[in-house]
Every structure is written in C-alpha cells, then in structure tokens.
Amino acid sequence: MLRIIMLFMLAALMLTGCGTGTADNSRQKQMPDNVSAVTAGKKVLMKFADGQGVLLLNDSQAAKNLYAMLPLQLSFKDFNHTEKISYPPRSIHEGLHPEGHQPVSGDLCIYAPWGNLCIFYRDYKMSGDLFYLGHLDAAGIRLLTDKQEDFTVELIRAEQ
C-alpha cells in the first residue's frame, strides 16, 4: 500500500513539473515589475527630425519630475552601442535613491551617478544605479536605433 501511495505521489510530482508551455514561458523577455505602472503615467511625444515616438512614463517621482520639465529639447549621443544618452538641464532624481533596473530595448532610465537620461535600444544587464522612468514605443525605438550620429529631439506632453 505504501508503494502505491509513493508511486502516485511521484507521478503527481512529475506531472506538475511538466507544462504546456503556454504560460509566461512563451514570453521572450521578462518585463520589469514596474512596467504595469507605465499605464498609470503620462504620455510624452518624442519628436525626431524624421518622425516621432511615444514615451509612456511610469508613476514614479523621477518620471513626474521629468514630465514637469516639459517641453524639452535634448541632444542625444550613442553610448556603448546599447543606449542613447542625454543630459537634462537640471537634476531629475535629486533626493531620490535608484531602485535598480535590468533594461530592455525601449526603456527610458536615469543613470544616477551621472544624472543622464538613457534610452536603451538593446537589452542590458541589471544595474543598481538605474531609475526606470518608462518605455518608448516601437516606432520610437526604430527611429532611435537608426541614428548613427548625435541627434536632437523635442519632448512634449501628449494630448491626453
């Protein structure tokens, strides 16, 4: 009788370890925990010379600080073939402590030690020095990725 119970327990354990593969395993990239907060934030148009993208800011204090500065004209340059960076006219994160983030393509962040904005066009490793602010849409990522030289964009509040 004990062998039968053990056999059933082993079979149950094996079955629960096997899945159909239709759960979250089907996602290629794991989105950051705070991505769901993006929908609660603000829309910002990122106007390039040849098109525009939409930034969806999260509801963090740093993102609110950036939004309060708009409109802004910012010059971006490539950094490490991974991100485009720009320096805002004043601090966005003063008095705040970074929560850390593992960026994916399209993520808008602040790098705390330098105070620069960074928009990643490639996935990158976890950094405890990043504030996650929001995400750039696919059209904006394409425009950003195509830029080989330094460029300027205008950030303006989108009609909500």
Side-chain angles (χ1 to χ4, degrees):
M1 180 69 163
L2 183 59
R3 284 186 184 183
I4 294 173
I5 292 173
M6 300 259 304
L7 185 59
F8 278 116
M9 288 176 61
L10 181 60
L13 182 63
M14 288 175 44
L15 288 175
T16 58
C18 300
T20 61
T22 59
D24 279 346
N25 296 341
S26 62
R27 291 173 54 185
Q28 290 285 331
K29 298 177 186 171
Q30 187 68 18
M31 294 305 286
D33 292 338
N34 52 357
V35 136
S36 61
V38 168
T39 57
K42 304 283 188 186
K43 280 187 181 181
V44 175
L45 294 180
M46 187 172 189
K47 294 185 158 196
F48 296 80
D50 54 346
Q52 71 180 25
V54 176
L55 283 166
L56 294 175
L57 299 181
N58 65 22
D59 206 25
S60 68
Q61 186 58 54
K64 289 176 184 177
N65 294 346
L66 173 62
Y67 192 77
M69 289 183 185
L70 300 181
L72 279 176
Q73 190 167 24
L74 296 171
S75 297
F76 280 85
K77 64 181 179 178
D78 193 78
F79 186 78
N80 199 31
H81 303 290
T82 304
E83 60 192 286
K84 305 292 185 178
I85 65 169
S86 180
Y87 291 87
R90 61 187 181 274
S91 176
I92 294 171
H93 68 292
E94 191 171 320
L96 303 173
H97 300 286
E99 61 276 358
H101 184 66
Q102 183 173 353
V104 296
S105 178
D107 282 357
L108 171 67
C109 298
I110 297 172
Y111 182 60
W114 297 349
N116 64 286
L117 288 172
C118 39
I119 304 175
F120 289 84
Y121 61 92
R122 293 200 172 127
D123 296 355
Y124 197 64
K125 64 184 177 183
M126 174 66 183
S127 171
D129 290 325
L130 289 176
F131 288 90
Y132 174 71
L133 301 180
H135 196 80
L136 181 62
D137 70 356
I141 295 169
R142 279 191 298 279
L143 289 164
L144 190 80
T145 304
D146 288 346
K147 304 293 182 227
Q148 301 301 314
E149 304 293 326
D150 295 355
F151 61 95
T152 301
V153 298
E154 185 178 9
L155 297 180
I156 61 171
R157 295 176 183 187
E159 296 297 319
Q160 305 224 353

